[in-house]
């Protein structure tokens, strides 16, 4: 994976922060909107001052490149940080424009290159939450209304701060998730002096704000700092690292070692091989104890996701939910929405396994059909909504290609929409239809889809006995812009 790092110093004197999880999530968080990025943070001590570092990872494919000269491109974004109080009122804003270089994709990597930015802002005392906006200066938002208003693509992420336990002398820092650690510059000693601060080593760290591991990063990599109390009567401390499955608290891995206590900062960087982990959500605990009596000195816990499917790496949370909405029943979808990303992957893995028609083959034939139908829907049925979410797209994915399509773009009087609906309604429908007796001429464009023998359902076992063998669906271009909406069907439950 190719990543770039930029550091913006907006002050380092950061004070204690409060938090309220009611309408904002704790770090890490995923952006919503047009630009998908990951937001994370970690707190450290530097010369007894509390320092907050904020990390953004923005996939390059989310941004629009401009050419500045032959063979040389860059991206231009605006980053705005709003520091807000408990009620969401903005206390302080820090914003600036950034030029990001074009990152070539490494051959065989499979993951889009990303720009990783590190901020070290000074945060007001009464800050309770952080709102981060990333705007693409050169790309407009999709949609005619947005184009008219001249609005640019933008992503937004919001997180709350927990001030219950802050780094202090005799405690430890937050746990920083690491993508990679760069080598020292040429001619510079690889031995980093950390007697007064851990910042020298942190500046070589490329953060992993998503906390994603697995397919593209099979080693869990984390960094933390212990701040020994001068009154401690010990020369070393025991470091215990525990990894457990979040779902059932099963202990997966642990290690114990003695660490010398030298200087005012004891930095720790550790890696764990995750190649034998199944997909899901896990917790890592970093615990320091006194080797003499096992008394707890400091402890921190962090969550991370193990993902083995490409889709759960590069799709946004919104896109994952869109696919689930097309596939799952209402009850299943409500369960799915509550899960974090690692357990979403685990849920869908079980779902596809249960619906694998030929388990002995390496591929899942039903899943292949779903992906093919989804791709077709995306290409052919898009409008205000994505093709897979449109009424025609969802129907196509669920039931396959119709046996017959009647399509009228400029209906004549005899083929007008109201005449077609009147023709297709049987007597029972006529008795119960809100359109009964509606004979006003309607010349809107429409399509009628016919499935003569219930089509080719994606999941035949879900087909209700109440569904007729002859299925009819009428779609209408309500606004005259190519967005076809389902207005009538003889199928109980409509598309779902």
């Amino acid at each position: 994976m190719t990543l770039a790092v930029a550091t913006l110093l907006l002050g380092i004197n950061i004070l204690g922060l409060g938090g309220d999880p009611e309408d904002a999530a704790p770090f890490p968080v995923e952006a919503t909107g047009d630009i998908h990025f990951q937001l994370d943070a970690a707190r450290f001590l530097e010369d007894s001052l509390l320092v907050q570092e904020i990390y953004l990872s923005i996939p390059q494919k989310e941004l629009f490149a401009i050419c500045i000269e032959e063979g040389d491109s860059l991206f231009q974004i605006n980053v705005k940080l709003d520091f807000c109080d408990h009620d969401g009122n903005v206390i302080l804003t820090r914003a600036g424009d950034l030029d990001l270089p074009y990152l070539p994709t490494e051959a065989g990597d499979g993951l889009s290159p990303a720009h990783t930015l590190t901020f070290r802002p000074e945060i007001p005392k009464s800050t309770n939450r952080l709102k981060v906006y990333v705007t693409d200066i050169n790309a407009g938002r999709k949609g005619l209304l947005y184009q008219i208003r001249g609005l640019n693509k933008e992503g937004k992420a919001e997180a709350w701060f927990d001030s219950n336990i802050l780094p202090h002398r005799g405690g430890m820092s937050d746990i920083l998730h690491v993508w990679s650690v760069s080598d020292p510059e040429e001619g510079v000693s690889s031995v980093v002096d950390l007697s007064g601060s851990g910042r020298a080593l942190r500046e070589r760290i490329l953060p992993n704000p998503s906390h994603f591991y697995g397919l593209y990063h099979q080693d869990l990599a984390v960094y933390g700092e212990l701040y020994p109390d001068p009154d401690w009567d010990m020369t070393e401390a025991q470091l215990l690292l525990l990894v457990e499955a979040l779902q059932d608290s099963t202990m997966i891995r642990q290690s114990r070692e003695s660490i010398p206590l030298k200087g005012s900062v004891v930095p720790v960087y550790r890696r764990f091989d995750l190649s034998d982990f199944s997909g899901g959500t896990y917790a890592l605990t970093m615990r320091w104890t006194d080797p003499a009596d096992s008394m707890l000195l400091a402890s921190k816990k962090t969550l991370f996701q193990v993902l083995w499917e490409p889709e759960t790496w590069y799709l946004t949370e919104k896109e994952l939910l869109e696919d689930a909405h097309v596939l799952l029943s209402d009850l299943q979808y409500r369960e799915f929405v509550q899960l974090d990303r690692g357990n979403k992957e685990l849920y869908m893995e079980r779902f596809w396994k249960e619906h694998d028609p030929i388990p002995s083959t390496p591929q899942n034939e039903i899943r292949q059909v779903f992906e093919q139908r989804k791709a077709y829907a995306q290409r052919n049925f898009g409008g205000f909504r994505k093709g897979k979410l449109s009424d025609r797209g969802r129907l196509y994915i669920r039931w396959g290609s119709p046996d017959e399509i009647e399509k009228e773009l400029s209906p004549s009087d005899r083929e007008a929409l109201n005449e077609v609906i009147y023709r297709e309604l049987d007597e029972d429908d006529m008795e119960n239809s809100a359109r009964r007796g509606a004979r006003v001429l309607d010349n809107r464009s429409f399509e009628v889809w016919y499935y003569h023998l219930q089509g080719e359902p994606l999941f035949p076992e879900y087909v209700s006995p109440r569904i007729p063998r002859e299925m009819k669906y009428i779609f209408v271009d309500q606004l005259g812009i190519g967005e076809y909406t389902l207005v009538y069907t003889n199928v109980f439950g409509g598309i779902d």
Side-chain angles (χ1 to χ4, degrees):
M1 179 181 181
T2 306
L3 300 102
V5 60
T7 303
L8 296 110
L9 304 181
L10 304 179
I12 64 172
N13 182 23
I14 298 180
L15 304 173
L17 305 174
D20 186 345
E22 290 182 0
D23 57 358
F27 293 108
V29 294
E30 183 175 310
T32 59
D34 307 298
I35 300 176
H36 172 222
F37 64 88
Q38 301 286 346
L39 174 67
D40 195 19
R43 292 166 290 196
F44 303 91
L45 282 184
E46 290 183 6
D47 300 324
S48 298
L49 293 177
L50 180 62
V51 175
Q52 177 96 30
E53 293 189 345
I54 297 171
Y55 315 109
L56 275 72
S57 180
I58 310 170
Q60 183 165 274
K61 66 183 180 67
E62 299 287 317
L63 304 174
F64 180 81
I66 62 169
C67 182
I68 52 176
E69 56 184 56
E70 186 70 26
D72 195 4
S73 301
L74 58 77
F75 305 89
Q76 295 180 314
I77 64 171
N78 177 272
V79 179
K80 184 175 75 165
L81 281 66
D82 280 347
F83 304 99
C84 306
D85 61 18
H86 185 277
D87 297 322
N89 301 312
V90 178
I91 305 169
L92 179 68
T93 295
R94 288 285 183 262
D97 294 340
L98 292 173
D99 290 344
L100 304 178
Y102 179 82
L103 303 174
T105 303
E106 292 181 351
D109 191 358
L111 187 64
S112 171
H115 296 271
T116 300
L117 313 177
T118 299
F119 300 84
R120 309 182 79 244
E122 181 176 351
I123 301 179
K125 283 184 180 180
S126 53
T127 298
N128 197 262
R129 66 197 66 202
L130 171 68
K131 297 179 182 179
V132 177
Y133 303 83
V134 175
T135 304
D136 190 328
I137 296 174
N138 300 298
R141 296 187 66 181
K142 291 182 179 179
L144 180 60
L145 186 59
Y146 294 135
Q147 296 293 333
I148 293 174
R149 293 179 177 178
L151 298 180
N152 294 92
K153 284 180 62 177
E154 182 181 81
K156 173 189 174 183
E158 180 175 357
W160 63 277
F161 295 97
D162 183 359
S163 60
N164 292 329
I165 304 176
L166 295 174
H168 58 275
R169 190 60 57 196
M172 66 173 294
S173 71
D174 291 329
I175 298 175
L176 169 61
H177 285 260
V178 179
W179 188 269
S180 63
V181 179
S182 64
D183 294 327
E185 296 180 8
E186 186 176 351
V188 178
S189 170
S190 61
V191 178
V192 179
D193 180 11
L194 294 173
S195 58
S197 171
R199 182 174 175 181
L201 180 55
R202 294 203 308 275
E203 288 182 346
R204 291 169 46 196
I205 288 176
L206 186 64
N208 180 6
S210 66
H211 298 196
F212 292 174
Y213 301 91
L215 180 63
Y216 298 111
H217 199 311
Q218 295 190 14
D219 288 340
L220 168 66
V222 292
Y223 172 82
E225 297 175 358
L226 176 69
Y227 308 113
D229 191 311
D231 294 332
W232 285 354
D233 186 19
M234 63 185 78
T235 58
E236 63 179 20
Q238 285 257 320
L239 173 63
L240 180 64
L241 296 173
L242 308 171
V243 178
E244 57 187 357
L246 187 65
Q247 189 171 19
D248 56 11
S249 299
T250 302
M251 187 62 62
I252 307 296
R253 192 159 298 167
Q254 62 178 308
S255 68
R256 188 187 302 271
E257 59 184 306
S258 295
I259 306 291
L261 300 182
K262 295 181 179 179
S264 58
V265 178
V266 180
V268 173
Y269 170 70
R270 294 293 181 270
R271 299 176 70 95
F272 292 92
D273 179 20
L274 302 176
S275 58
D276 59 345
F277 278 47
S278 60
T281 304
Y282 296 83
L284 167 75
T285 301
M286 186 178 290
R287 186 177 298 160
W288 296 87
T289 61
D290 184 340
D293 55 13
S294 298
M295 182 181 73
L296 181 65
L297 303 174
S299 180
K300 286 284 184 178
K301 178 181 285 189
T302 181
L303 303 182
F304 63 94
Q305 315 289 325
V306 176
L307 311 172
W308 296 109
E309 293 286 340
E311 291 83 0
T312 41
W313 274 81
Y314 58 72
L315 290 184
T316 67
E317 184 73 11
K318 180 181 178 183
E319 289 170 327
L320 289 175
L321 293 178
E322 288 172 350
D323 280 7
H325 179 66
V326 172
L327 277 170
L328 305 178
S329 67
D330 288 344
L331 177 59
Q332 291 171 326
Y333 183 76
R334 286 196 294 270
E335 294 174 350
F336 186 80
V337 167
Q338 303 302 318
L339 302 175
D340 50 40
R341 187 169 290 241
N343 283 311
K344 280 186 171 71
E345 178 174 288
L346 201 59
Y347 187 100
M348 294 309 302
E349 181 181 318
R350 290 194 298 265
F351 175 87
W352 286 119
K353 188 175 181 178
E354 291 170 0
H355 294 89
D356 190 347
I358 313 176
S360 59
T361 59
Q363 69 276 5
N364 186 318
E365 291 77 11
I366 291 296
R367 186 170 185 179
Q368 287 181 324
V369 171
F370 167 71
E371 294 295 341
Q372 292 165 0
R373 291 183 181 180
K374 183 177 74 171
Y376 183 89
Q378 289 286 83
R379 291 194 305 269
N380 294 280
F381 304 128
F384 278 139
R385 293 177 291 179
K386 294 180 180 179
K388 64 182 178 183
L389 298 180
S390 68
D391 287 351
R392 290 182 300 170
R394 290 170 58 215
L395 185 66
Y396 180 87
I397 292 172
R398 293 283 182 90
W399 296 96
S401 181
D403 298 302
E404 181 184 350
I405 296 179
E406 179 182 348
K407 184 182 298 187
E408 293 291 346
L409 298 179
S410 299
S412 63
D413 291 355
R414 297 191 63 180
E415 292 85 26
L417 174 61
N418 56 314
E419 293 293 331
V420 170
I421 292 177
Y422 189 84
R423 181 192 74 203
E424 296 297 338
L425 290 170
D426 57 31
E427 290 301 320
D428 291 336
D429 289 328
M430 285 296 292
E431 288 299 322
N432 299 305
S433 174
R435 301 181 181 83
R436 184 172 180 266
R439 304 302 296 240
V440 178
L441 188 64
D442 190 337
N443 288 110
R444 290 176 295 175
S445 301
F446 66 88
E447 292 183 5
V448 185
W449 288 21
Y450 301 91
Y451 292 90
H452 299 312
L453 293 173
Q454 294 186 340
E456 298 180 35
L458 188 64
F459 302 115
E461 63 271 31
Y462 289 167
V463 176
S464 168
R466 300 180 64 178
I467 292 180
R469 295 179 66 80
E470 178 79 14
M471 298 159 49
K472 305 173 186 178
Y473 294 86
I474 299 179
F475 303 93
V476 178
D477 184 1
Q478 305 268 32
L479 302 176
I481 57 174
E483 179 79 15
Y484 285 79
T485 303
L486 178 65
V487 297
Y488 166 74
T489 176
N490 66 335
V491 177
F492 177 80
I495 297 174
D496 298 324

